[in-house]
Amino acid sequence: MPNLVRRIVRRASPKVVTAVVLAVALTVISVAAGSGPALAQSDAGFRDWLTARVWPDARAQGVSQATFAAATAGLSPDWKLPDLGKPGQPPKINWQSEFSAPGRYLSEDKIAPLVSIGRAQMKQWASVLAAIEKRYGVPKEIVVAIWGRESAFGRAAIPKSAIRTLATQAYAGTRRDLFYPELIAALKILEGDHIPLAEMKSSIAGALGQPQFLPSKYLAYAVDFDGDGRRDIWQSVPDTLASIANYLKQHGWQSGRHWGHEARVPDTVNCAVEGPEQPYPLTDWTKAGVTRADGAALPGSGGDKRHLMMPAGRLGPAFIVSWNFYVLKEYNESDLYALFVGHVSDRLSGAPPIAGKWNTVAGFRRGDVRAMQERLVAKGYDVGGADGLVGFKTRTAIGLWQRQNGLAPTCFPDAGLIGAIR
């Protein structure tokens, strides 16, 4: 904030302060050349939105006028961000995007470099990681795997102004309801003097620092592990790693329990028994003929509850997982993300690559999947939401439909199946 404004805010009456704050908040940089009248009008709406909606909500959450003024001075929307819609209109989703097979996410060319660099990082930060594992009960390999996946061990560029990014997404993004409270949380971070405004950088999705925490997650789970009085997930590796471990612990990580194992699942086991809502004792999986991928017995005691996880149904590898797998999903709700992190953590300990093969699935689009989901819903199946994404509920619904229609369950869509479900 300019020195003059600081002096005014410090000494002026409340009415004068409010006037200065609103004036500063509405001092917006010029619309970029070539943006056209439509964006100029949207920028004007953005300024009104900051004043009329964001400021009252931020004030109610304890954000001071000085902090708000400094954070929003000269602020304009970043129209180069992805996933933006027109303000005041429903968000748009690209339903024409080609459906992506799960195997691409877990390709060896993505995993092997992280494993190689991750092992070096584990040696460099061995004493810190040992202290973190002792305090939080989360394996160091899991922590390092998340660190690598989120920010390439702190090497990935985090170039965006967090406030501008979050404000743009909260104003015009396709997920405004998600980003609006995160904008308020980011202002609270500034109010608490955790990080200077100029250093508060984020991804294009508004995620902060090396662990890629959204602001509300930073407020709740970031920790000061190096003891310098700041929770610095941008520059401090100890703070970054401990914050990741604390996040998992606070979400229910069960110390001493492995996340899961790749498995051989006989065809006699219905793939529709997948998911967190269908746990079975380890003895049941063993009686059904389920083993580890190498044929060895599944580890654990007989009464331990385990879950089937088949991210590509019968068209890819299968896994038997513990509840810790679903704790990883609390970090990122994708099945593939949790599997990626779990597998990289195993590889850091010397485990081999995934043995099962991923079948190629192509020839349809996300909109085709959504239409199939809508038809399944009309028939009474629970797909977990017709969003064009194939989560475990959609896979289970597909398997149930196939079985009830005399087909061998695959629990995953292909072009022919999408056409058959009517």
Side-chain angles (χ1 to χ4, degrees):
M1 186 188 299
N3 289 335
L4 176 59
V5 174
R6 288 186 184 277
R7 289 198 294 272
I8 292 173
V9 169
R10 189 180 300 121
R11 300 174 183 174
S13 68
K15 290 184 178 179
V16 172
V17 169
T18 299
V20 170
V21 170
L22 296 181
V24 172
L26 294 175
T27 303
V28 184
I29 61 174
S30 299
V31 178
S35 62
L39 285 187
Q41 185 176 1
S42 292
D43 283 6
F46 178 76
R47 296 192 292 273
D48 292 340
W49 173 77
L50 284 174
T51 304
R53 184 180 179 194
V54 180
W55 163 236
D57 288 348
R59 178 176 54 192
Q61 291 291 316
V63 177
S64 68
Q65 294 167 323
T67 296
F68 183 80
T72 59
L75 195 64
S76 66
D78 183 354
W79 295 112
K80 295 182 180 180
L81 293 175
D83 302 322
L84 300 182
K86 292 182 179 180
Q89 295 186 6
K92 293 184 178 180
I93 297 175
N94 181 14
W95 298 109
Q96 296 305 309
S97 59
E98 192 71 20
F99 186 82
S100 180
R104 297 178 188 175
Y105 192 97
L106 288 136
S107 61
E108 188 63 15
D109 62 348
K110 295 178 182 177
I111 290 173
L114 285 184
V115 172
S116 177
I117 299 171
R119 287 173 177 164
Q121 293 293 327
M122 289 183 67
K123 291 181 180 179
Q124 180 177 350
W125 297 100
S127 61
V128 171
L129 285 165
I132 289 171
E133 185 169 341
K134 182 178 180 180
R135 179 177 299 184
Y136 297 103
V138 179
K140 56 185 180 293
E141 293 85 1
I142 289 286
V143 173
V144 171
I146 291 177
W147 184 30
R149 182 68 183 86
E150 293 296 340
S151 63
F153 312 102
R155 302 179 183 189
I158 306 175
K160 292 293 186 179
S161 160
I163 295 297
R164 189 183 188 204
T165 298
L166 291 163
T168 302
Q169 292 288 0
Y171 175 66
T174 58
R175 296 184 292 167
R176 296 163 209 172
D177 291 344
L178 167 68
F179 282 106
Y180 187 78
E182 297 300 338
L183 171 60
I184 303 299
L187 293 168
K188 291 173 68 175
I189 292 173
L190 293 175
E191 182 66 30
D193 198 28
H194 298 287
I195 189 79
L197 177 62
E199 297 177 23
M200 192 172 173
K201 299 297 185 180
S202 77
S203 69
I204 59 174
L208 307 177
Q210 296 184 43
Q212 289 291 274
F213 280 179
L214 286 173
S216 63
K217 305 305 182 187
Y218 173 94
L219 289 173
Y221 305 111
V223 297
D224 171 23
F225 200 76
D226 60 15
D228 67 353
R230 299 177 63 201
R231 297 187 289 171
D232 184 3
I233 62 172
W234 289 266
Q235 300 297 328
S236 170
V237 171
D239 288 3
T240 293
L241 299 177
S243 295
I244 292 170
N246 183 52
Y247 185 99
L248 295 177
K249 178 183 179 181
Q250 297 303 322
H251 282 82
W253 185 271
Q254 298 174 352
S255 181
R257 178 161 292 184
H258 196 265
W259 70 271
H261 299 275
E262 187 179 0
R264 291 182 186 175
V265 180
D267 291 342
T268 51
V269 176
N270 187 359
C271 54
V273 298
E274 182 193 358
E277 299 169 355
Q278 300 187 80
Y280 294 93
L282 196 56
T283 51
D284 288 1
W285 294 113
T286 301
K287 289 177 182 177
V290 179
T291 67
R292 294 184 62 165
D294 60 3
L298 294 168
S301 60
D304 289 347
K305 296 293 181 68
R306 295 290 186 269
H307 310 257
L308 176 63
M309 206 282 290
M310 303 180 81
R314 288 286 180 183
L315 306 183
F319 303 84
I320 296 295
V321 302
S322 73
W323 185 250
N324 281 342
F325 176 84
Y326 297 103
V327 176
L328 292 177
K329 285 190 64 176
E330 294 288 341
Y331 206 101
N332 182 312
E333 64 182 356
S334 165
D335 286 335
L336 294 176
Y337 176 91
L339 178 57
F340 188 101
V341 167
H343 179 61
V344 169
S345 74
D346 287 350
R347 296 284 291 277
L348 289 171
S349 299
I354 293 173
K357 303 302 180 184
W358 302 91
N359 289 13
T360 300
V361 180
F364 55 96
R365 302 182 186 277
R366 183 173 174 181
D368 299 324
V369 175
R370 180 183 64 160
M372 176 201 68
Q373 290 171 322
E374 290 173 342
R375 293 193 293 270
L376 284 168
V377 169
K379 295 177 181 295
Y381 294 94
D382 180 8
V383 301
D387 55 6
L389 304 176
V390 184
F392 74 90
K393 286 193 174 183
T394 294
R395 297 194 294 267
T396 297
I398 289 172
L400 293 173
W401 182 90
Q402 289 173 314
R403 189 165 190 173
Q404 290 169 5
N405 285 271
L407 302 174
T410 64
C411 297
F412 205 77
D414 57 38
L417 181 64
I418 287 175
I421 298 178
R422 293 293 175 184

